[in-house]
Amino acid sequence: MAALSDAAASAVDAPQSQVPDYTNVRAALLDVLDESIESFHNGENGRGEAATSGIVDWDRMNEVLSQSDPLSFNDAVMARLSERLRAYLESPDGALSEGSDDEDQAGAREEAAQNTAEEAPAGGDASSATRVQSHRRYVMNEDTSWFPWPNKETCVLDILRHIPRCAFSDKQNAVIHWALCALEVKNLPTEHAVQQVTKALQELCGVASIRYQGVMGHVYYVNDLAQLIAQEMANPRVRPHLRFLPEDANGTLSEAWQGDRWLKELDPDLATPMVRKESQDFYIYEPAQLDSHDVCMPTRWFTRGSQTYAKVWRMERTPDGQAWVVLDNAEFDVPLQRFLVALPGLIGKAAHDSSFPDPRHIIGIQDARGGIHPWTATNPASGNRWRTLASGHRVVAFPIWLNCDDTSGNLSKKWNKHNSFLFTPAGLPRRVVHHEYNIHFLATSNIAPPLEMLDGVVDQLLDCQRSGIWAWDCESKEPVLVIPSVLAMLGDNPMQSEIACHVGLAGKLFCRVCKVSRSRALDAAVATGSGENAEEPRSDAYDDDSIAGRSSGDSDDSGSISSRSVGSGAGNTTRRKRDETMAEMVDRVRRFMSIGTARTRTDTLANLKSQFVEAQQIGGQANVKKTRTATGIKDSYQSFFLDKLFAITARRGTSREQRTAEVMDFLTTVPHIEDAATSPVWRIRNFDPHADTPVEILHVILLGFVKYLWRDTVSRLKEPQRNLLVTRLSSFDVSGLGVPPLAGSTLVTYARSLVGRDFRAIAQAAPFVLHGLPGIPDELQHVWVALSRLIPLVWQPEIKDISAYMNSLTGAIDHFLNATCALTPRWFNKPKFHIILHLPAHIRRFGPAMLFATEGFESFNAVIRSHSIHSNHRAPSRDIAAGMAQHNRVRHLLSGGWFRMPRVSAGCLDEVDEESSETLSNALGPTRSPWLRKLQKLDPADLRWRHVGPGPLGLLALDGFDVNILSVCRFTECFDELDISDLGRCRGMHDSTSWTGTLAFRKGVSSPALYGIPIPRSARFRSADKILLDTDGIWCDADGKSWILWSPRNAHEPPSTARPPYLGRLLEILLIVGSPNEPAGKADFVLVELCAINGTHPYYGMPNVACTSRFALVAVRDVICPVNVQHNCVDGNCTIAATRAVWQERERTSQRVAEIHHHGARYILNTAQMRSSASIMPLYPPLPSSEDRETVILRAVMHEIELRTRRRRPARPPILDTSGDHNGTSQVSFSHPPVTTSSQPLMNTSISPGPLRPAQFSVSSTQHDTRRQALLSSYRLGQPQPTGVSSPTISLPPANSPGPAPLHPSTSRTIVPSPFHSTSGLTNMYPYPEL
């Protein structure tokens, strides 16, 4: 301690005029402190010699950590003082902040160590800087079974602290540590020791979080994209399933690599740079010789079946025979087997054969017209640049799905918006690509907007594309160079509009993909340059229910057409929009139901540059605003700089010359001024945000159409009808759908607060529960049936024939839009009814729609939220990024992933300039990832790679920890070959019995046979209650309520889709005692009742199913999938009775609730089923022949105009008395109701019948519309009622009755006047719902 005092005194005695060298003082004090602690251990405790600087002696640390004797009071005080003193000396300002938590102190010590190492003079004492960084430089003992952890206890605690979805706060970690101490767990490390080991492991094999300060001034952190991708290549659970080349699947479409985007459109330099044949590497845009001795230029590699092919251009020699010309007008496919010599071999051949031109002499490329243009794809002298960068190693492509979304960082309802960027490898199979295990976190911030954070992500992406990412290929056991690219950018509609620099869904040009507008008037205004002043007529959609006026198009939560007054507006402004004319309404609906001119990257960039130039002019703000309105283009990233320009150009009190000078000075500070300060999305190579932001089916369909229609449906019903709907939903049979039993009360009562999984269930059940409900017109039922036909096509995982599928999908979309228009054209004010038109093109380009759905990313938001909740909210972007990096490290290590080990020479690391993996400041290079910097300085062939020892991997299988908590093994179990092995597994096994004791025998099945081979009647059988017949984990019950599809085939015949499947009802599950399947608990047969499909039901629009009372045994191997079959309640006149028992607190109570009792054996095949929809498609009925779209639109618009006229025409409220004699008399008696504001007596008047307008009545009866027209005509003309029409009973409803409801042409009608009491005492007539 005397040495410490002397060192401190020397610092105090420094002259006041000189600035003390605090760095050297602290370093010297740290030296003295380390020596004192070392002498204390050696002299008093005999702990052995000190470890070499920069290396931790884990044997010694284990001995220290495992000591069971408690420290004395003095030793504990000295340890605490030493820790505080070290923290003080390592802090950047020499002081500790009061009240800071351990995490902030650790971050301060880390930054202090970084700054000290950076500020150390080049010629100074290197040992001081090394010792300052010594706590960040660990080399573990590679011989232990718990490598890279020092022991089992530390390994378990480290895993416990960094499990995804199980984030703990510091207090919770302290409680866990206390519990372990209370249980007297041996060798338990201290909290400080665990933190140090965590830092060491994160430094060794973790992902860095890079600090950025955006152009808008916000600080945010982005995890190292290069290292995340490198870990995927080194992960043995991921790498075997990654695809690097696109595939020509000959009309089949099930994966991203089969879509046109990857196969035909993605830049070949990013998508398919090279392939290897034996010892030769063939690169694109390099001459290669075929086995026919022809020379060609490969431009793209792809697979077809099991072979690799190339798209090639022919090459011809020049007339003088000294150079080559590339012919791009002659492209053909060549298999890899025909490639003979690559570029290096051709160069050698040219050197030895003077008649063979040098392949590096390419004079140009010849087009179809014979013109020759310069060759610019590569430098012919050096060939493809990836050959030079790879140095003989393989180069692979790594496209990603990039997602941006917002979520709340709070548990409460208070919104704490966090914008996050996530990605997942596009080369993974569809079944696992969106699993949580494969979703990787990049960045989040609650202050930085998405495009500002995207700037940092794009910087990392461009760096990776320039140099490639060196990674260890754990499958081929060699280093590879990886090229990342963005296949598509996913998100909800508002986010995708912002990414595409689009004004949003509230704009007049509301589509980010095409240039469709809401009205013809806007087009005319745009053509004349007055788009901002164009008056847009008020449509008959509800403005408060539309997306207009909202900041987020996907947060519009209304969707009720019948519950509001038409044209009320969101908040009636002073300037009321005029009503749409019939021609304008027809034009608007036509536009919504058609695709406009496609937006392009080139046009948008030109427009943004024009806005930037215009904003620099004095008075240019108005012109920019008009341009945005006229084009629908607005860059929120660029707007940050335009707003500053507007503040300068619109400033008053300064001369024009002064403002112009200020503008020029400001432009010198704008980044990317050469690109007009546009969004970083335009810097992504080969990415068009208009075309490469595919339609997101979760928000467009489930949270769009289904949500809108369900809320509209529920809002039409009164309380008794809602109770009936609750009963039907609760009684709905969900077998085969893969959803839990429906909670009818929740789905109806909280119709405005449901989530995606609820709407998924509603879409499959709605067509069966709405029949006979007053207030639900037939047109609404038709819309639900049309939507139930569309949804299974969209959620189809595998497309066998892309051409036939596109025809079916396009027809289903048109049918749904026509049905919606027939219901009411007011829905065509919501952009999602137009956006769905772009889905077929996106499926063709990117694969099945499930590939670019965002359910997985939305689910991952819970992980981000948990990190936000357990942080102190002082540095959310840094803390969440660091926590996610720790989770990624644990995932990688426990998956058996390989990581790079630094080399040690003479007790020192071979990378003395390696930066910390915790945080990297801008001074260290914000646009360069630590992974890229490290590996660019090293030879990839000399790198050492290791994986964890057997100890940590042995913990995974303990109590299913890997499957239930880490989701590690669940990743591999989702592949088909593993799922199929579980098919046929049974639950609820019964004792064995003879053949005569089975239900199959009692049903008349003569004898069992397996693929035509008879089974002896002496065999014993076991039955079961449940069987797994679906790879999605759907269990089927043998109770006659489960239905299956199967296709019989021979024993060695593969499944066939050519034969139409058979439908049957599952009755019994049988296992043959002694069969190979019995030990695994798998069934051999199922007993089914054969069913027949008899036409299409006119109401449901789905196939009729009839049971035939014939039975058969079906081999489990022949089962295709479970299906959902519903009872035909429309024709069965099913009843309701309170017979279902109520369960509360897991106890059966005496309470009873209503349930449906079915009558008759009439069934309907539910073609709205989303699971296994591809297998059910052969049973789909053809789409009904719909009317011409123009006819549908005109009829719907005429009806809407008529309703609008009826609602706004005032009339006196007569009471019509039709009880008089109609034989020859033609008088109608009207009685005016009493007026509540007056005490006048009831006034009776007898008048001759005038032209009674139908607008004066709300109609609801069971008679046909033609009889209604005849009835109304008789009232108009004073004629008697037609024969067969009963006299309607007209009564006056009370004045406090609910408001008006729209009239629908297919509803049953009764003439019922509806009063509306005005303040003047008069009563106006409006349509009124039936009483």
Side-chain angles (χ1 to χ4, degrees), residues 819-851:
T820 305
C821 183
L823 173 64
T824 173
R826 283 173 282 171
W827 281 123
F828 291 94
N829 200 42
K830 288 185 174 295
K832 293 178 183 179
F833 285 91
H834 166 81
I835 292 175
I836 189 65
L837 294 171
H838 297 287
L839 180 60
H842 290 161
I843 290 177
R844 188 182 291 274
R845 296 182 65 236
F846 297 101
M850 296 175 64
L851 278 170

Side-chain angles (χ1 to χ4, degrees), residues 1028-1106:
L1028 181 64
L1029 292 176
D1030 188 84
T1031 56
D1032 291 318
I1034 299 179
W1035 291 84
C1036 299
D1037 296 322
D1039 55 359
K1041 296 182 180 180
S1042 297
W1043 306 70
I1044 62 171
L1045 288 181
W1046 85 91
S1047 178
R1049 57 183 184 271
N1050 297 326
H1052 303 289
E1053 181 184 358
S1056 174
T1057 58
R1059 301 175 180 174
Y1062 294 89
L1063 177 64
R1065 182 164 59 171
L1066 181 62
L1067 300 178
E1068 188 179 28
I1069 305 167
L1070 292 176
L1071 291 78
I1072 303 175
V1073 176
S1075 69
N1077 290 329
E1078 186 191 14
K1082 298 180 181 179
D1084 296 294
F1085 301 100
V1086 290
L1087 174 68
V1088 298
E1089 181 180 8
L1090 303 180
C1091 301
I1093 294 179
N1094 302 321
T1096 303
H1097 194 276
Y1099 182 82
Y1100 295 111
M1102 301 178 187
N1104 291 302
V1105 176

Side-chain angles (χ1 to χ4, degrees), residues 196-390:
Q196 294 301 314
V197 171
T198 298
K199 287 184 178 180
L201 292 177
Q202 192 66 15
E203 176 71 23
L204 178 70
C205 51
V207 175
S209 298
I210 307 174
R211 178 186 181 273
Y212 288 88
Q213 184 165 1
V215 296
M216 303 178 189
H218 302 116
V219 176
Y220 60 95
Y221 287 76
V222 182
N223 283 354
D224 192 352
L225 173 65
Q227 194 163 2
L228 288 170
I229 294 176
Q231 286 188 352
E232 292 297 271
M233 294 296 298
N235 190 335
R237 298 185 180 272
V238 177
R239 170 60 186 89
H241 311 292
L242 285 172
R243 290 288 298 262
F244 305 118
L245 292 178
E247 178 187 2
D248 181 3
N250 193 23
T252 301
L253 188 62
S254 60
E255 305 293 351
W257 55 78
Q258 297 169 345
D260 288 349
R261 165 70 171 155
W262 194 344
L263 178 62
K264 301 177 181 179
E265 301 174 10
L266 194 60
D267 186 353
D269 191 56
L270 301 175
T272 59
M274 61 86 70
V275 294
R276 175 169 292 178
K277 180 187 177 184
E278 298 175 351
S279 60
Q280 294 191 93
D281 294 336
F282 292 90
Y283 283 82
I284 60 171
Y285 300 132
E286 285 187 354
Q289 190 175 40
L290 304 178
D291 55 5
S292 61
H293 302 291
D294 294 328
V295 178
C296 66
M297 180 72 71
T299 60
R300 186 181 296 272
W301 298 101
F302 64 96
T303 62
R304 183 179 292 158
S306 59
Q307 295 187 7
T308 301
Y309 282 78
K311 294 281 186 182
V312 301
W313 293 333
R314 287 197 309 111
M315 295 183 65
E316 291 183 352
R317 304 182 187 187
T318 57
D320 58 3
Q322 300 300 316
W324 296 91
V325 175
V326 180
L327 307 179
D328 68 347
N329 59 337
E331 184 180 70
F332 51 96
D333 300 344
V334 178
L336 179 61
Q337 288 80 355
R338 292 194 56 196
F339 281 80
L340 191 62
V341 184
L343 178 61
L346 292 181
I347 295 175
K349 179 179 180 180
H352 293 86
D353 185 358
S354 59
S355 63
F356 187 82
D358 192 330
R360 294 171 293 185
H361 294 168
I362 301 176
I363 64 171
I365 181 171
Q366 180 177 332
D367 57 21
R369 297 181 179 180
I372 297 180
H373 309 280
W375 176 258
T376 58
T378 60
N379 182 2
S382 58
N384 195 308
R385 69 184 186 95
W386 292 114
R387 182 183 292 276
T388 304
L389 293 173

Side-chain angles (χ1 to χ4, degrees), residues 26-49:
R26 291 174 186 158
L29 291 175
L30 283 172
D31 291 340
V32 175
L33 178 62
D34 291 341
E35 293 174 0
S36 300
I37 295 176
E38 179 181 345
S39 61
F40 171 77
H41 284 303
N42 292 338
E44 297 182 16
N45 296 330
R47 296 299 182 187
E49 298 182 357

Side-chain angles (χ1 to χ4, degrees), residues 1-9 29 31-40 44 74-75 77-83 85 89:
M1 291 301 173
L4 287 174
S5 302
D6 296 339
L29 291 175
D31 291 340
V32 175
L33 178 62
D34 291 341
E35 293 174 0
S36 300
I37 295 176
E38 179 181 345
S39 61
F40 171 77
E44 297 182 16
N74 292 335
D75 292 341
V77 171
M78 290 299 297
R80 180 60 178 167
L81 289 176
S82 299
E83 180 182 356
L85 178 58
L89 295 175

